[in-house]
Amino acid sequence: MKNIKWMFNESLPMEMHKARIVQKINLLEPKKRLEAIKEAGFNTFLLKNHDVFLDMLTDSGVNAMSDKQQAAMLQADDSYAGSETFFRLEAAIQKMFGMKFFLPAHQGRACEHIISKALVNKGEAVLMNYHFTTSKAHVVLEGGFVEELITDEGLNLNSTCQFKGNVDIDKLKDRIEKLGSKNIAFVRMEAGTNLIGGQPFSLENFEKVSKICKSNDIPLVLDASLLSDNLHFIKTREENCKNMSINEITLKLGALSDIVYFSARKLGSARGGVICTSSENLFKKMQGFIPLFEGFLTYGGMSVREMEAIAVGLEETMDEDVISQGPIFIEFMVKELLKRGIPVVTPAGGLGCHLNAMKFLEHLPQTEYPAGALAAALFIVSGARGMERGTISEQRDENGVEPLANMELLRLALPRRVFTVSHIMFVVDRLEWLFKNRHLIGGLEWSEEPEILRFFFGKLKAKGDWPEKLLENFEKDFGDSL
Ligand SMILES: *Cc1c(COP(=O)(O)O)cnc(C)c1O
């Protein structure tokens, strides 16, 4: 963001854009919100968007698009083979990452499917700074296994470390030595490490990882889905990068990687998936899977209109004013929550704001799903929808035993360029009230628990009548206010 000082002693995040297309949102009355969350089985994934006021579930496919992206969609070329749209997107990717070859796929997990199919053999390891749900699943599906090499500081919910997404270099060297480089399919670095709070890696760390991979002949794969936030943090937090442009940093990352892939539902602010590489050998290994699983090589399952929007979105990602919006709004929200003593993951990262539900609801055991209960309670008092990232998001093992998650987080995603300061302050206000009344929030238990991906469509119920009591107290304090 441009350096803008205020006359009074406080600074607010500033939007470097204005709204020209808007979507009306509804704030239901509190009683209706309670009904809606009950109907949804206390699972925010099952709420209807009509009943949601501020949708902070995810940043996937819901970032605001620019006027230029919308305009570009009109020139989409539907030709099956040789489509001009393909070449425009290819050129945008080459300019951004400096990589010659581009393969299209329908979204991020499809890229992971293709990369794992091409590179992972049974029994092989994939080393990562940290896993993402779908990236791990595709490695395991091919018979491989995942090891995480995040620094200890990365798992510390309240740290001053500016790059919690870094790989522990000693652990990396040690694992390569113990496993043997032949048994390692690839090393995967995730930008803006999603599941630990949108935390970045540094360019310095990435350079070290790349060097080690090269000398051991192991491909380095960059998951760039959340790269825009990570680029902002490299630029603003890393001394050696202060004078580099965003594109220079991105080109450097491209030069250090063997494969870059991303979900264009996040990076590029449209909907799709991209794999790129400079290696003809790797390109050829992956190429055949695209027409088999995704679609012809010119679109890979994406709509050509989306591809046009991605091309423009990627170009816009090289603009600091565009990519700083998310992190600056998140930092503002984190600061406001800290002022009120509300437990939140620090330092502020990308993607969203992550509340520490285990600390917020100290009285609840993890087996009663504090992060899920907090998500439901927040919806009842505000109509804002977050995402549980805790034990509900885990899967039972083959004996039916439920592993407790490392962290119980309530993630409040801030899709890019969507919300205003008043939206954020409204959620902060309701969270402050909830924190003061946290003893009213009780636990959850399953009523319908699917065997796979239970967090997406499983249903829970409240233990006791705490949601009704919560509503009663809310109405006592807020009267007839929504
Ligand atoms: C969202 C995401 C993916 C998967 O992308 P989809 O488009 O949702 O399939 C992979 N990696 C990271 C880091 C993500 O955030």
Side-chain angles (χ1 to χ4, degrees):
M1 191 185 72
K2 297 268 185 309
N3 179 16
I4 298 173
K5 290 204 175 69
W6 294 63
M7 203 171 73
F8 57 90
N9 202 13
E10 195 174 358
S11 78
L12 293 172
M14 178 68 82
E15 292 91 343
M16 299 307 289
H17 56 261
K18 60 179 181 178
R20 291 176 60 214
I21 295 182
V22 296
Q23 180 179 8
K24 189 178 180 313
I25 46 180
N26 307 305
L27 180 50
L28 297 183
E29 55 183 281
K31 262 191 200 59
K32 292 256 165 67
R33 302 198 295 250
L34 175 61
E35 276 167 33
I37 195 73
K38 275 181 157 173
E39 182 141 333
F42 289 83
N43 180 349
T44 55
F45 277 99
L46 299 182
L47 286 165
K48 297 191 181 88
N49 209 34
H50 173 271
D51 299 338
V52 173
F53 181 46
L54 301 171
D55 192 359
M56 299 181 169
L57 187 75
T58 176
D59 64 333
S60 179
V62 289
N63 296 306
M65 288 183 17
S66 71
D67 50 354
K68 296 196 169 65
Q69 285 184 285
Q70 300 260 350
M73 290 175 97
L74 292 178
Q75 60 172 344
D77 175 8
D78 275 313
S79 319
Y80 191 80
S83 153
E84 283 190 43
T85 296
F86 174 84
F87 294 112
R88 273 193 285 270
L89 180 52
E90 183 185 57
I93 290 163
Q94 285 169 344
K95 194 169 153 203
M96 182 169 169
F97 290 104
M99 293 178 131
K100 185 171 171 194
F101 301 103
F102 152 51
L103 293 167
H106 79 273
Q107 64 182 94
R109 66 200 68 183
C111 303
E112 291 166 340
H113 179 213
I114 305 291
I115 293 166
S116 296
K117 271 230 158 330
L119 299 187
V120 179
N121 296 305
K122 216 171 168 185
E124 286 180 349
V126 174
L127 307 182
M128 304 182 173
N129 51 348
Y130 205 72
H131 81 283
F132 182 70
T133 49
T134 52
S135 45
K136 182 173 176 176
H138 281 293
V139 170
V140 172
L141 206 62
E142 298 306 318
F145 64 97
V146 164
E147 286 194 14
E148 292 166 335
L149 306 176
I150 196 90
T151 57
D152 295 341
E153 209 48 34
L155 297 179
N156 179 356
L157 292 188
N158 295 106
S159 162
T160 53
C161 174
Q162 299 291 292
F163 291 104
K164 293 207 292 188
N166 279 355
V167 151
D168 185 323
I169 296 296
D170 290 331
K171 278 191 211 164
L172 176 64
K173 286 181 182 159
D174 180 67
R175 291 317 292 156
I176 293 176
E177 200 183 304
K178 297 257 161 65
L179 291 162
S181 54
K182 292 243 165 338
N183 301 312
I184 300 169
F186 59 89
V187 170
R188 172 180 170 276
M189 285 290 275
E190 183 179 316
T193 325
N194 191 325
L195 298 187
I196 60 165
Q199 298 292 329
F201 57 64
S202 66
L203 180 59
E204 187 191 4
N205 188 254
F206 198 85
E207 281 173 326
K208 285 183 183 158
V209 172
S210 170
K211 204 167 158 200
I212 293 170
C213 286
K214 276 215 167 53
S215 64
N216 287 283
D217 207 17
I218 303 169
L220 174 57
V221 176
L222 168 62
D223 179 348
S225 302
L226 302 182
L227 183 66
S228 70
D229 301 332
N230 205 129
L231 284 168
H232 166 80
F233 291 126
I234 287 177
K235 170 87 183 168
T236 56
R237 293 179 183 176
E238 199 165 346
E239 205 46 50
N240 291 337
C241 302
K242 290 234 153 42
N243 297 319
M244 290 171 81
S245 71
I246 298 294
N247 202 177
E248 279 167 349
I249 299 169
T250 315
L251 284 168
K252 189 107 206 221
L253 290 170
L256 293 166
S257 308
D258 295 289
I259 294 175
V260 174
Y261 77 91
F262 57 89
S263 166
R265 299 180 63 84
K266 288 115 182 215
L267 188 66
S269 296
R271 285 141 294 259
V274 165
I275 304 173
C276 45
T277 179
S278 303
S279 152
E280 191 165 1
N281 178 34
L282 288 172
F283 173 71
K284 285 192 169 147
K285 269 190 181 170
M286 295 185 282
Q287 191 181 30
F289 293 121
I290 302 289
L292 195 58
F293 292 111
E294 297 296 306
F296 192 58
L297 287 167
T298 45
Y299 67 96
M302 279 185 277
S303 134
V304 279
R305 289 164 60 88
E306 295 291 337
M307 290 172 73
E308 293 283 0
I310 295 166
V312 175
L314 292 178
E315 206 178 313
E316 291 175 345
T317 299
M318 297 296 98
D319 178 347
E320 274 180 83
D321 279 346
V322 171
I323 61 172
S324 65
Q325 191 275 339
I328 286 173
F329 269 62
I330 293 162
E331 189 184 12
F332 171 74
M333 187 169 183
V334 166
K335 258 195 209 148
E336 291 298 321
L337 291 170
L338 287 174
K339 266 192 220 166
R340 292 160 175 82
I342 298 171
V344 60
V345 173
T346 54
L351 176 56
C353 183
H354 297 74
L355 295 167
N356 181 354
M358 216 120 69
K359 214 158 169 200
F360 199 113
L361 301 177
E362 263 171 336
H363 58 283
L364 278 191
Q366 232 185 320
T367 47
E368 293 185 17
Y369 311 122
L374 187 56
L378 177 62
F379 180 77
I380 294 169
V381 303
S382 71
R385 151 157 80 175
M387 187 191 288
E388 191 267 4
R389 294 273 83 163
T391 299
I392 293 176
S393 299
E394 297 284 332
Q395 194 146 318
R396 288 186 194 272
D397 68 15
E398 58 276 20
N399 303 316
V401 179
E402 175 176 61
L404 298 177
N406 287 334
M407 308 171 184
E408 290 286 331
L409 302 181
L410 170 59
R411 183 180 86 184
L412 300 172
L414 296 186
R416 297 161 188 91
R417 297 180 290 190
V418 169
F419 294 122
T420 64
V421 169
S422 30
H423 287 143
I424 288 175
M425 286 312 294
F426 173 76
V427 175
V428 169
D429 182 81
R430 292 305 194 255
L431 279 169
E432 185 175 11
W433 184 87
L434 263 188
F435 192 56
K436 291 204 171 107
N437 292 278
R438 59 190 181 276
H439 60 279
L440 292 171
I441 303 173
L444 299 175
E445 60 190 338
W446 290 100
S447 55
E448 285 170 42
E449 186 186 349
E451 244 172 76
I452 51 160
L453 298 174
R454 61 181 191 175
F455 66 96
F456 274 137
F457 44 89
K459 290 193 162 185
L460 300 103
K461 56 181 194 259
K463 291 184 81 137
D465 63 350
W466 67 262
E468 287 76 13
K469 291 256 160 59
L470 184 70
L471 179 67
E472 221 174 276
N473 279 269
F474 178 84
E475 287 178 332
K476 226 188 304 172
D477 285 359
F478 285 90
D480 59 3
S481 157
L482 297 176

